Amino acid sequence: QTFSGAAVAIWYDQSGSSNNATQISDDNQPLISEDGNLLTAGLKFDGTDDFLATGQSVITQSNAGSFSYFAVSTIATDEGGYLLGSAGNGSNVGSSIYAQNDSKFSLSSGFIVLRDNITRSSGENLLSACYTGGRANLRVNGGGTSVTEGTYNFNANTNFTIGNREDGAAAATFLAGSTKEIIAYDSDQTANRFKIESNINNHYTIYTA
């Protein structure tokens, strides 16, 4: 029997912490294959209603805390939405990486999506965000000039979500794009950033170091 597409109900956590991201609704599950072919860009989110959630915070994200995100995603420059994180429906609720539909990536605090902005190109990108002591730094493909002035407050939030933010219901919150790798730390990995990015880049060959 030939199936036109295959959806993903569980994205398993490989860290051993059982922070699996799940979606029980068939209509809201991202695709891993389409038209009988495996999607090499990773899980494809339709930008309408697809998302996965852990039901757990994964990382603390308190004002006094630290966190780091790393992800490999493919998103057209005229598409957008929340890639991943613990942002919720509030101005300082959690944090997420957000793809704007004007060729930029940003680090959001709740529904405030303009904390950091880095111009992005189409195709596959390696994203990273490290936060500690009120200062946040976003990078795309190992580079970019991010805005770090001021204090960013990321209050703790419950659910780590992929392809949307918690309680996001508008079309602009759902991700229209694909993601194949996500790594999240409950700590600041600035000192190890180059090594982590290089390891990911060596595996996927995303950019020239």
Side-chain angles (χ1 to χ4, degrees):
Q1 184 174 4
T2 301
F3 295 92
S4 60
V8 173
I10 304 175
W11 192 345
Y12 289 98
D13 175 18
Q14 302 298 308
S15 72
S17 300
S18 298
N19 292 317
N20 302 323
T22 63
Q23 177 56 259
I24 62 174
S25 172
D26 293 348
D27 291 339
N28 302 119
Q29 293 170 356
L31 296 178
I32 191 60
S33 72
E34 193 171 37
D35 299 325
N37 298 308
L38 181 69
L39 296 170
T40 58
L43 272 61
K44 181 180 180 181
F45 296 83
D46 65 5
T48 302
D49 57 10
D50 292 352
F51 71 97
L52 301 167
T54 63
Q56 302 173 63
S57 62
V58 178
I59 52 181
T60 304
Q61 296 199 50
S62 65
N63 286 348
S66 302
F67 67 84
S68 301
Y69 295 140
F70 296 85
V72 177
S73 296
T74 301
I75 306 166
T77 53
D78 60 348
E79 298 287 3
Y82 287 85
L83 276 76
L84 59 103
S86 295
N89 191 18
S91 60
N92 287 316
V93 181
S95 67
S96 288
I97 295 178
Y98 182 80
Q100 302 178 58
N101 61 4
D102 60 354
S103 302
K104 293 179 181 177
F105 283 118
S106 65
L107 184 62
S108 75
S109 177
F111 55 51
I112 305 299
V113 300
L114 302 177
R115 296 297 190 184
D116 265 354
N117 294 279
I118 292 182
T119 301
R120 63 188 176 93
S121 59
S122 59
E124 195 167 73
N125 287 285
L126 168 56
L127 313 170
S128 65
C130 297
Y131 169 79
T132 192
R135 297 181 69 82
N137 289 278
L138 178 68
R139 293 288 183 267
V140 178
N141 294 336
T145 302
S146 57
V147 180
T148 58
E149 290 80 4
T151 300
Y152 298 152
N153 294 322
F154 297 111
N155 293 323
N157 194 40
T158 304
N159 298 323
F160 188 88
T161 304
I162 302 169
N164 197 4
R165 63 169 166 77
E166 184 182 44
D167 299 324
T173 67
F174 288 96
L175 175 66
S178 301
T179 298
K180 65 168 55 168
E181 176 119 29
I182 294 171
I183 304 172
Y185 291 91
D186 194 12
S187 58
D188 175 27
Q189 293 293 317
T190 299
N192 299 316
R193 189 178 213 155
F194 178 75
K195 294 179 181 179
I196 296 170
E197 289 176 334
S198 296
N199 186 49
I200 296 171
N201 187 47
N202 287 342
H203 181 75
Y204 293 112
T205 316
I206 301 169
Y207 58 92
T208 301

